[in-house]
Amino acid sequence: PELVRLPSYTTVRRWMRSQGLLRRRRPGGSRRTPGAERAEARLEAREVRSYEAEYVGALWHAAFHLGRRKILTRGGDWVTPKLLGALDDCCRLCCHAQWYLEESAETFVHGLSQAIQKRGLPRALMTDCGSPMFAVETQEGLLELGITHEPTLPYSPYQNAKQEIFWASVEGRLMPMLEGVGEPTLELLNEATQAWIELDYNRKLHSELGITPLQRFLAGPDVGRESPSSQALRQAFRLRAKRTQRRSDGTLTVEGVRFEVPSRFRHIERLWVR
């Protein structure tokens, strides 16, 4: 009897909102790992603001996205492909997007090389903390090409929000166009994706920019650099390691495979191989 009447759920919720006690998703979800706890503490202590690169080619975003529709492979298996996309932060232009059957360093380098040959070399690249982005071949290639790698913080997907919005456009705009296709293949999916990007997404009025991404890309100012040749790109993304030459037969071993060293290098004890 000494307790007063309890307020309603709506009253409590209204009071909590007035005190700044808002409901939000915890970083990492239900997993209370040390990384998730650090991300939660950082998000609580520091202010999060949106950002935009000042120049075209100053910053690119690149990430993989797991599709929602399965495709039929040549072997007769149904698999879920993954889309690799690269976006320019300043103009929101999709530099390149391609579907792959797996997420690996090889597919990431292949897709990134296609984007570079289309739009030029960026100054910086922002990715998540996936293993393909931190593979030695990828890191060596970015260093060789003079591209600064800026990974997002763990459990902080809001840093790459522009990429997430692009995935929503893919699932909400592109994939419904393919609903009438009975058994889509990887080749058909990539062909339709390229047509949608170049003819619809890059030429559609952007609500934040006020113009299309293609017009913003052409208007500049552009700090991107000219793309190297295909051969130069392939040579850049390689693993660099030190090996000891055998004195007996002049060979060295790389990943379990023995290679013969040219005779003019027989006097060198330790060699750098790529």
Side-chain angles (χ1 to χ4, degrees), residues 143-219:
L143 182 62
E144 182 77 14
L145 298 174
I147 301 176
T148 304
H149 186 208
E150 298 181 356
T152 59
L153 297 173
Y155 301 98
S156 305
Y158 53 84
Q159 287 189 291
N160 217 3
K162 297 182 181 68
Q163 194 83 38
E164 300 298 330
I165 295 177
F166 176 72
W167 301 144
S169 300
V170 171
E171 297 294 344
R173 179 71 174 173
L174 172 62
M175 301 312 293
M177 297 180 181
L178 302 175
E179 292 181 354
V181 181
E183 299 179 355
T185 61
L186 186 64
E187 292 79 7
L188 177 61
L189 189 60
N190 276 321
E191 185 178 357
T193 302
Q194 294 301 318
W196 173 75
I197 290 174
E198 299 298 338
L199 301 178
D200 183 79
Y201 175 80
N202 286 341
R203 300 175 183 269
K204 187 177 181 180
L205 183 66
H206 198 279
S207 58
E208 293 185 4
L209 303 178
I211 56 177
T212 66
L214 184 59
Q215 291 175 339
R216 179 73 174 269
F217 177 79
L218 297 176

Side-chain angles (χ1 to χ4, degrees), residues 21-67:
L21 302 176
L22 304 178
R23 183 179 181 180
R24 64 186 182 187
R25 184 180 301 177
R26 302 181 66 178
S30 59
R31 297 182 300 173
R32 304 315 303 159
T33 61
E37 293 178 357
R38 288 194 298 268
E40 185 176 3
R42 182 175 59 250
L43 190 62
E44 182 70 23
R46 298 187 177 184
E47 184 180 10
V48 177
R49 292 186 177 184
S50 60
Y51 64 93
E52 180 182 279
E54 188 175 358
Y55 303 105
V56 174
L59 175 63
W60 281 10
H61 299 269
F64 280 97
H65 169 69
L66 182 63

Side-chain angles (χ1 to χ4, degrees), residues 77-199:
D77 301 326
W78 289 95
V79 298
T80 304
K82 295 184 177 181
L83 177 63
L84 172 63
L87 268 69
D88 188 280
D89 185 85
C90 178
C91 63
R92 315 298 199 276
L93 183 82
C94 180
C95 303
H96 182 67
Q98 187 168 346
W99 296 88
Y100 295 95
L101 298 180
E102 61 179 0
E103 180 180 348
S104 63
E106 182 179 1
T107 56
F108 179 76
V109 168
H110 180 269
L112 181 61
S113 299
Q114 300 296 316
I116 292 175
Q117 292 186 0
K118 285 183 177 180
R119 314 297 181 185
L121 276 175
R123 297 289 176 173
L125 178 68
M126 177 173 287
T127 66
D128 55 21
C129 300
S131 56
M133 295 72 171
F134 282 87
V136 180
E137 299 91 327
T138 306
Q139 293 296 316
E140 287 284 344
L142 296 178
L143 182 62
E144 182 77 14
L145 298 174
I147 301 176
T148 304
H149 186 208
E150 298 181 356
T152 59
L153 297 173
Y155 301 98
S156 305
Y158 53 84
Q159 287 189 291
N160 217 3
K162 297 182 181 68
Q163 194 83 38
E164 300 298 330
I165 295 177
F166 176 72
W167 301 144
S169 300
V170 171
E171 297 294 344
R173 179 71 174 173
L174 172 62
M175 301 312 293
M177 297 180 181
L178 302 175
E179 292 181 354
V181 181
E183 299 179 355
T185 61
L186 186 64
E187 292 79 7
L188 177 61
L189 189 60
N190 276 321
E191 185 178 357
T193 302
Q194 294 301 318
W196 173 75
I197 290 174
E198 299 298 338
L199 301 178

Side-chain angles (χ1 to χ4, degrees), residues 255-270:
E255 296 185 355
V257 181
R258 183 174 295 188
F259 295 90
E260 182 178 358
V261 180
S263 59
R264 59 181 177 271
F265 300 136
R266 290 294 295 271
H267 63 284
I268 303 178
E269 181 180 359
R270 292 184 178 272

